[in-house]
């Protein structure tokens, strides 16, 4: 089995009323933790690489780690560029073997978004690669771009059909109230995704796969552990998992999760050092961190995404 595109995965997910997890990878332990969970549960998988991850670990290392995951598991795995911000970056990932890219021109005016997305789609499709576009702006932090909550904007359902038709993109990320990072909602407010916006989008794009970014749920257990062992994360709040579960049953076929893996990894390492202050062998603290990622991903697959058993 080689790396796959998301085409078949999304068709099955749309028809089956579940979503595929798209998890960000930055190093070997993260790749191993995610794929161990997916393999045990026989879940299809999207492993995604941000511009920052590529700068940190290098294209070739990440590519080879993901190829190793395919060899070890035989799972259908797509390797996706997360938040590509230029044609050149998308092209480089397509030329370098990724099977899916996102061109994120959502902060640009509509016509510019259409033009750059169209350019990426033409190159990608010529090379057998699929493209995720975005319409609407999420709040939060991704790479160097920080969008304040006040500057975020929900997707306008009346624009989605035109963007998809004029660009030929294969999936569309929309903004319905999720946001990047661990501080998604104001403390004291009740997190509520805009399902009315999602429904209107679905109506205008029947059968078309929708993507949700910023979908970590920021489990309190890990925030508490980070704070207990020397960290300081007051007011960290995520998307309630019951709302993500509801979304996974709809046209949403891809749900992006990164922060929850970071929280699980960091909380576990902080705890490890607090309990083993004399240890200095990286394997000793990375092993439980990798296991925490595996547990987190297994929980997402079974309790949020519903994609367990869908790999074969
Ligand atoms: O949406 C952004 C992802 O969480 C990737 O984050 O740009 O810090 O790698 P990063
Ligand atoms: P979180 O920060 O909620 O994990 O979102 C990740 C994401 O959207 C990656 O593109
Ligand atoms: Zn994102």
């Amino acid at each position: 089995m080689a790396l796959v595109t998301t085409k078949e995965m999304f068709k099955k997910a749309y028809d089956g009323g579940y979503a595929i997890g798209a998890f960000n990878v930055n190093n070997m332990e993260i790749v191993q933790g995610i794929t161990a969970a997916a393999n045990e549960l026989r879940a299809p998988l999207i492993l995604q690489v941000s511009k920052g991850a590529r700068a940190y670990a290098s294209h070739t290392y990440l590519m080879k780690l993901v190829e190793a995951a395919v060899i070890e598991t035989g799972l259908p795995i797509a390797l996706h560029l997360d938040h590509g911000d230029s044609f050149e970056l998308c092209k480089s990932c397509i030329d370098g073997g990724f099977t899916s890219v996102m061109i994120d021109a959502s902060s640009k005016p509509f016509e510019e978004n259409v033009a750059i997305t169209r350019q990426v789609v033409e190159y990608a499709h010529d090379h057998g690669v699929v493209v995720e576009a975005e319409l609407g702006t999420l709040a939060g932090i991704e790479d160097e771009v920080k969008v304040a909550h006040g500057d975020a904007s929900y997707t306008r359902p009346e624009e989605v059909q035109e963007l998809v038709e004029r660009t030929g993109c294969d999936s569309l990320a929309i903004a319905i109230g999720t946001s990047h990072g661990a501080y998604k909602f104001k403390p004291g407010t009740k997190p509520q995704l805009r399902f009315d916006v999602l429904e209107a989008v679905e109506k205008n794009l029947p059968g078309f796969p929708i993507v949700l970014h910023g979908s970590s749920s920021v489990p309190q257990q890990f925030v508490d552990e980070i704070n207990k062992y020397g960290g300081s994360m007051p007011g960290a709040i995520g998307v309630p998992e019951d709302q993500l579960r509801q979304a996974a049953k709809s046209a949403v076929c891809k749900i992006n999760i990164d922060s929850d893996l970071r929280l699980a990894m960091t909380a576990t390492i902080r705890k490890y050092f607090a309990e083993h202050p004399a240890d200095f062998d990286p394997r000793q603290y990375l092993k439980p961190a990798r296991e925490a990622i595996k547990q987190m991903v297994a929980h997402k697959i079974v309790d949020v995404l519903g994609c367990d058993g869908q790999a074969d």
Side-chain angles (χ1 to χ4, degrees), residues 83 85 143 165 174 221 231 248 275 304:
H83 294 285
D85 61 355
D143 270 329
E165 279 175 8
I174 62 166
Q221 169 207 345
E275 291 171 354
V304 177

Side-chain angles (χ1 to χ4, degrees), residues 8-306:
E8 196 58 30
M9 272 184 204
F10 284 170
K11 196 186 165 340
K12 280 180 70 184
Y14 193 100
D15 293 342
Y18 61 87
I20 318 285
F23 301 99
N24 288 69
V25 296
N26 293 279
N27 68 11
M28 182 183 77
E29 284 75 13
I30 297 174
V31 173
Q32 289 179 328
I34 297 165
T35 45
N39 193 25
E40 268 183 29
L41 294 160
R42 296 311 291 167
L45 200 53
I46 300 169
L47 295 176
Q48 56 186 13
V49 168
S50 69
K51 184 179 171 183
R54 212 161 163 262
Y56 171 76
S58 98
H59 182 97
T60 308
Y61 274 97
L62 291 169
M63 183 80 210
K64 295 296 169 193
L65 286 171
V66 172
E67 281 176 359
V70 175
I71 292 167
E72 289 284 319
T73 63
L75 285 173
I77 298 178
L79 177 54
H80 174 76
L81 168 66
D82 191 26
H83 294 285
D85 61 355
S86 66
F87 173 78
E88 289 70 27
L89 175 57
C90 293
K91 180 179 182 302
S92 171
C93 289
I94 293 164
D95 293 346
F98 282 35
T99 54
S100 173
V101 294
M102 174 190 194
I103 175 68
D104 181 359
S106 58
S107 60
K108 298 191 169 24
F110 185 82
E111 285 301 325
E112 261 183 70
N113 190 349
V114 168
I116 184 171
T117 302
R118 174 83 216 142
Q119 188 190 11
V120 171
V121 167
E122 275 171 13
Y123 190 81
H125 285 185
D126 276 352
H127 293 77
V129 170
V130 291
V131 178
E132 175 184 322
E134 180 166 334
L135 204 48
T137 322
L138 272 70
I141 304 169
E142 55 195 58
D143 270 329
E144 308 96 57
V145 186
K146 188 172 189 298
V147 180
H149 280 270
D151 294 334
S153 57
Y154 295 112
T155 301
R156 291 156 58 89
E158 63 274 22
E159 290 182 344
V160 295
Q161 198 181 7
E162 185 182 345
L163 183 108
V164 168
E165 279 175 8
R166 286 177 61 193
T167 63
C169 67
D170 303 276
S171 61
L172 182 68
I174 62 166
I176 58 166
T178 62
S179 65
H180 291 106
Y183 304 91
K184 298 187 190 297
F185 299 94
K186 286 206 184 78
T189 59
K190 192 173 170 296
Q192 181 57 57
L193 299 184
R194 288 287 302 273
F195 283 98
D196 57 323
V197 174
L198 173 58
E199 274 167 32
V201 167
E202 280 185 282
K203 207 178 270 171
N204 290 344
L205 287 176
F208 195 78
I210 300 301
V211 177
L212 286 190
H213 281 247
S215 296
S216 280
S217 50
V218 189
Q220 195 57 41
Q221 169 207 345
F222 290 117
V223 176
D224 288 347
E225 230 156 55
I226 286 172
N227 290 340
K228 179 174 170 189
Y229 297 112
S232 175
M233 296 190 68
I237 300 173
V239 184
E241 287 191 338
D242 58 334
Q243 294 184 33
L244 293 168
R245 206 172 302 130
Q246 186 183 337
K249 290 179 181 150
S250 73
V252 171
C253 294
K254 173 175 179 271
I255 294 190
N256 285 12
I257 297 166
D258 185 6
S259 297
D260 281 354
L261 307 188
R262 297 178 180 195
L263 289 167
M265 189 167 200
T266 302
T268 305
I269 292 172
R270 277 192 180 275
K271 182 167 186 273
Y272 185 87
F273 278 128
E275 291 171 354
H276 305 85
D279 274 8
F280 60 94
D281 178 345
R283 291 170 299 186
Q284 297 302 322
Y285 57 87
L286 289 174
K287 198 171 166 186
R290 181 173 62 186
E291 178 60 25
I293 288 176
K294 179 183 169 189
Q295 297 303 328
M296 171 68 77
V297 171
H299 162 65
K300 298 289 182 188
I301 287 172
V302 173
D303 300 318
V304 177
L305 304 157

